[in-house]
């Protein structure tokens, strides 16, 4: 793959490095700095004429600064005459602002939504010996939460449940009703975003009080988790770098099968 370059923004350098490693490439370095007025500046060491550039930047840390850095990275690649510029955004910033159950179309450019579901399923089967006696739970009754959970239960052939909650304000949840039977069953919590983890912790307490024997949940490394892991030994993180690397490889080679299950077809 001589004409592909992987660039990593400042938000998640470790993930960018792993993606490049899976592709057998060196991670291309950008010089990112700030002027005295805190304006972001991105410099590229050499011409990218005719190259296919993939810029990796996750929506974590200083989110607004990271988003602006990504836009400047894309512009820098374009004015350096890159052939293609593709943004790889493991955690999409501002994605939870005013969700709707049906989209009207946010993008006017080609977008692939790469999901980590196969990697999570693999982890469930390998980590939980009693996974056949589990119930997958959504801590949110919203349509996209229920749809996400039923996708897992269909492939695991297990039951599902959900928690009806009323949201007073962001990061402050008031749980109401558990819908589903959890007594003497293993509970697996599935949520789309873990910020303060307040939702997950409150949901876990609700499930244990309802008779669940154990409660499991995982985090993806779409965000930086090292500091959180230092304070809690129970946190397990699923690596998604291979998923993103394979999606990049298929996109670069013109393969239309970039869905998560096409990438992991050898597992199912």
């Amino acid at each position: 793959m001589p004409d592909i370059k992987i660039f990593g923004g400042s938000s998640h350098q470790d993930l960018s490095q792993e993606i490049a490693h899976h592709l057998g490439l060196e991670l291309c370095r950008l010089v990112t700095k700030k002027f005295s007025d805190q304006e972001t500046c991105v410099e590229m060491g050499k011409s990218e004429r005719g190259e296919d550039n993939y810029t990796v930047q996750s929506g974590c840390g200083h989110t607004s600064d990271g988003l602006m850095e990504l836009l400047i990275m894309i512009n820098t690649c374009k004015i350096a005459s890159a052939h293609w510029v593709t943004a790889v955004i493991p955690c999409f910033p501002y994605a939870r602002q005013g969700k709707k159950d049906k989209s009207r179309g946010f993008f006017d450019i080609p977008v692939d939504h790469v999901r980590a579901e196969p990697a999570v399923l693999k982890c469930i089967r390998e980590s939980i010996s009693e996974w056949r006696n589990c119930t997958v739970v959504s801590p949110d009754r919203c349509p996209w939460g229920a749809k996400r959970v039923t996708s897992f239960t269909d492939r695991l052939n297990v039951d599902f449940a959900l928690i009806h909650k009323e949201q007073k304000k962001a990061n402050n949840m008031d749980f109401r009703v558990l819908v589903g039977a959890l007594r003497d069953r293993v509970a697996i919590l599935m949520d789309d975003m873990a910020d303060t983890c307040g939702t997950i912790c409150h949901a876990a307490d609700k499930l244990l009080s309802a008779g669940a024997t154990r409660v499991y949940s995982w985090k993806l490394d779409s965000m930086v988790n090292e500091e959180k892991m230092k304070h809690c030994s129970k946190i397990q993180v699923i690596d998604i770098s291979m998923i993103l690397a394979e999606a990049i490889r298929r996109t670069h080679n013109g393969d239309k099968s970039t869905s998560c299950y096409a990438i992991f077809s050898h597992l199912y």
Side-chain angles (χ1 to χ4, degrees), residues 42 47-49 72-82 85:
V42 177
S47 172
E48 297 300 322
R49 185 177 300 276
I72 297 173
M73 287 168 62
I74 293 171
N75 184 65
T76 301
C77 291
K78 290 178 68 176
I79 62 178
S81 302
V85 181

Side-chain angles (χ1 to χ4, degrees), residues 6-22 25-27 29 55-58 88 90 241:
I6 306 294
F7 293 90
S10 62
S11 66
H12 202 335
Q13 278 285 315
D14 289 344
L15 181 58
S16 302
Q17 184 66 61
E18 286 300 313
I19 292 172
H21 174 73
H22 285 301
L25 301 171
E26 292 290 332
L27 181 65
R29 299 294 180 182
T55 59
V56 183
Q57 182 80 314
S58 192
V88 181
S241 60

